[in-house]
Amino acid sequence: MGSSATKATAVGVIRRLRAAGHEALLAGGCVRDMLMGHRASDYDVATSATPQQVKRLFGHVLMIGAKFGVAMVIINRRTVEVTTFRSDLSYSDGRHPDSVKFVSAREDAQRRDFTINGMFYDPLCGKVIDYIDGRKDLQAGVIRAIGDPHRRFAEDYLRMLRAVRFSGRFGFRIDRDTAKAIKRRAGRITQISGERIREELEKMCADATAAASLMQLHKLGLLEAILPEIFADTSGWVKVSRRAGAVTSRGDALLTIATMLCDLPANDIRRIVRRWGGSNEMRKSLLWMGEHLDDWKTVPDMPLAEFKRILAHRDFRRLEALWRFEERTSTGGKRYYLAIRRRIKAIDPKQIDPEPLVTGADLKEIGLKEGAILGRVLRRLYDAQLNEQITNRRDALKMARGMVHQDK
Ligand code: ATP
Ligand code: MG
């Protein structure tokens, strides 16, 4: 579908809509970001034109969300989301509005989640259009639900997580009534799908301020609802919050999620990833970090081959961050960390994950059959190679012949 629109593309769309007699404005997150002097990640357009009218004005328009008033205008392979001013009618699933009604800009502002997210901007005359006192809250640093917070969260429980995400990202406080409303229904967060929870958590955890967000999630009762596993152990949360405090400034979502899950039993990790509709990659990464969490103690002395296998793993940097924290918590120092660094430095980078000196085909040529033994021999040979006991093909084959003899 191409990448999100730049401001210039979105403004071009607005000009075109205006020329055709429609109202059209920048809306939502991008207005907030511009007023804060941040670069927006995407520029959304809100308009009085219906999706059908938008479609007629532009050459390439995707109508996937047309029922909800959304038309995706594609210009030079960039996508501009053009949404008709709308109000969301009843929510029976706490997720999607059952239907929408096309309305004025003023009413459209009312269906948005927080005041700081509910403003419009007219880029042609440089004017902010603020029906919900968003600018005031932006200046004061407040996350406040638009309208009655109880009703707004009941419509869509995901908004509870969004409140925490924006609060963490901008260092804003959550208004008292808004926070109260979240606390009251925090337990219902599990009524929305695990995928939506994960996606929101991933966005939250990709922020360098994630540690503060996790703290906030906990204070509001949301974390316990999302991850009761952490609280099964009385010291679970304390450990998680300290670990998060140590590593989340990296803004690495997977690492931050690992701070919460890495010392849970493997079966819990599997169940959580399944509940979240997470990928196999995610599951494997989290399980691997969990499995090797305590290795910092043994890694300076472990066999070279084993060490290299850990080094070669795509999540090694993350694991190392967790190790540093584990060591500091348990010894107060970084002796092992330094020893590990020294050991890494002594290794030729080309020898961390080298091409195997011999392959299965080579072994078949010297008489081995496909099967368990062949696999075992290959692995032992590769170990010897990683341990730098063999450095060329001739020696590798010699060793293979020796092994085959032994196994007979
Ligand atoms: P980000 O920078 O994370 O994209 P954003 O504010 O742009 O932040 P989006 O999810 O892109 O967030 O949504 C765009 C706008 O749509 C929001 O600013 C808000 O006005 C509205 N919005 C999004 N999700 C919801 C929701 N669940 N309930 C009500 N309004 C929402
Ligand atoms: Mg956005």
Side-chain angles (χ1 to χ4, degrees):
M1 200 155 37
S3 48
S4 321
T6 59
K7 186 171 175 188
T9 323
V11 173
V13 169
I14 288 176
R15 275 184 207 286
R16 184 84 184 263
L17 284 161
R18 292 276 190 87
H22 303 288
E23 262 182 274
L25 300 162
L26 289 174
C30 64
V31 179
R32 173 201 67 217
D33 292 341
M34 284 187 305
L35 289 174
M36 293 181 82
H38 296 176
R39 243 185 57 189
S41 56
D42 41 30
Y43 290 84
D44 297 332
V45 172
T47 180
S48 59
T50 63
Q52 293 304 329
Q53 289 172 319
V54 173
K55 189 174 165 64
R56 265 178 255 130
L57 276 177
F58 297 91
H60 193 179
V61 181
L62 296 181
M63 299 290 277
I64 315 163
K67 211 175 103 193
F68 298 108
V70 184
M72 301 282 218
V73 176
I74 297 169
I75 292 175
N76 298 331
R77 314 180 75 191
R78 291 181 183 280
T79 316
V80 185
E81 208 175 293
V82 179
T83 307
T84 310
F85 297 137
R86 67 174 210 231
S87 92
D88 298 336
L89 303 177
S90 61
Y91 285 75
S92 47
D93 61 354
R95 172 172 187 181
H96 288 119
D98 299 323
S99 59
V100 302
K101 192 172 88 184
F102 296 146
V103 298
S104 66
R106 178 185 290 276
E107 288 170 275
D108 177 276
Q110 306 298 323
R111 63 127 180 132
R112 295 175 183 271
D113 48 5
F114 306 109
T115 56
I116 61 165
N117 289 346
M119 291 175 276
F120 301 104
Y121 181 74
D122 181 338
L124 305 189
C125 59
K127 216 174 89 196
V128 178
I129 298 154
D130 179 8
Y131 296 113
I132 38 57
D133 273 347
R135 232 174 331 185
K136 208 174 83 203
D137 285 337
L138 198 60
Q139 261 149 24
V142 178
I143 306 295
R144 184 195 315 273
I146 295 173
D148 171 17
H150 293 285
R151 216 191 78 214
R152 300 314 310 284
F153 291 123
E155 283 170 358
D156 180 2
Y157 298 124
L158 183 79
R159 291 173 188 156
M160 301 193 284
L161 297 182
R162 286 175 58 91
V164 173
R165 173 158 68 90
F166 292 118
S167 158
R169 179 176 347 155
F170 303 129
F172 284 12
R173 71 184 167 81
I174 301 180
D175 162 71
R176 225 186 57 207
D177 289 341
T178 298
K180 248 197 215 158
I182 296 177
K183 265 189 194 153
R184 189 190 298 170
R185 30 182 85 54
R188 304 211 185 157
I189 190 64
T190 52
Q191 288 183 22
I192 66 172
S193 76
E195 281 83 357
R196 289 184 92 201
I197 292 179
R198 175 179 48 79
E199 282 167 13
E200 197 56 38
L201 271 185
E202 281 176 341
K203 286 186 196 166
M204 198 182 290
C205 289
D207 252 315
T209 54
S213 304
L214 296 185
M215 201 69 85
Q216 182 86 267
L217 278 184
H218 174 53
K219 278 212 310 235
L220 294 169
L222 286 162
L223 195 61
E224 204 159 348
I226 294 173
L227 283 171
E229 291 85 354
I230 297 177
F231 299 86
D233 176 344
T234 48
S235 63
W237 162 246
V238 175
K239 263 182 145 166
V240 166
S241 62
R242 291 206 187 122
R243 200 184 286 131
V247 305
T248 52
S249 62
R250 299 183 182 215
D252 176 339
L254 186 55
L255 175 59
T256 298
I257 290 173
T259 65
M260 296 192 272
L261 307 191
C262 64
D263 56 11
L264 294 176
N267 271 336
D268 279 4
I269 297 180
R270 285 192 195 96
R271 204 180 36 209
I272 291 164
V273 175
R274 202 176 320 127
R275 187 161 84 215
W276 284 350
S279 63
N280 291 338
E281 298 290 287
M282 180 187 204
R283 189 190 62 242
K284 282 187 210 153
S285 285
L286 291 168
L287 284 171
W288 184 81
M289 286 186 260
E291 186 188 329
H292 293 282
L293 187 64
D294 291 326
D295 285 2
W296 59 272
K297 292 177 228 168
T298 50
V299 96
D301 303 312
M302 75 174 37
L304 188 58
E306 203 182 324
F307 182 51
K308 284 182 178 174
R309 283 202 164 92
I310 291 178
L311 272 188
H313 196 280
R314 61 168 187 242
D315 295 309
F316 174 70
R317 292 258 165 231
R318 297 186 172 106
L319 179 64
E320 202 187 18
L322 297 173
W323 279 350
R324 273 192 92 164
F325 170 80
E326 296 296 315
E327 180 182 7
R328 197 159 37 178
T329 334
S330 88
T331 72
K334 55 175 182 182
R335 217 157 49 89
Y336 285 86
Y337 168 74
L338 293 174
I340 293 163
R341 282 274 119 203
R342 274 197 304 275
R343 192 166 192 199
I344 294 173
K345 255 187 145 165
I347 295 172
D348 173 0
K350 288 199 288 293
Q351 293 307 318
I352 291 176
D353 193 16
E355 285 288 318
L357 292 167
V358 294
T359 63
D362 295 326
L363 294 186
K364 281 185 212 158
E365 245 170 61
I366 61 169
L368 256 86
K369 288 202 181 63
E370 190 74 58
I373 296 183
L374 186 140
R376 207 159 60 228
V377 171
L378 266 183
R379 186 171 166 102
R380 271 162 62 195
L381 285 173
Y382 195 60
D383 266 345
Q385 183 183 347
L386 290 178
N387 281 327
E388 299 171 18
Q389 292 157 336
I390 47 174
T391 54
N392 59 59
R393 207 176 130 76
R394 236 189 67 223
D395 292 348
L397 285 169
K398 206 164 123 197
M399 184 179 246
R401 283 194 199 93
M403 284 181 194
V404 173
H405 252 62
Q406 249 178 31
D407 274 355
K408 267 179 188 164

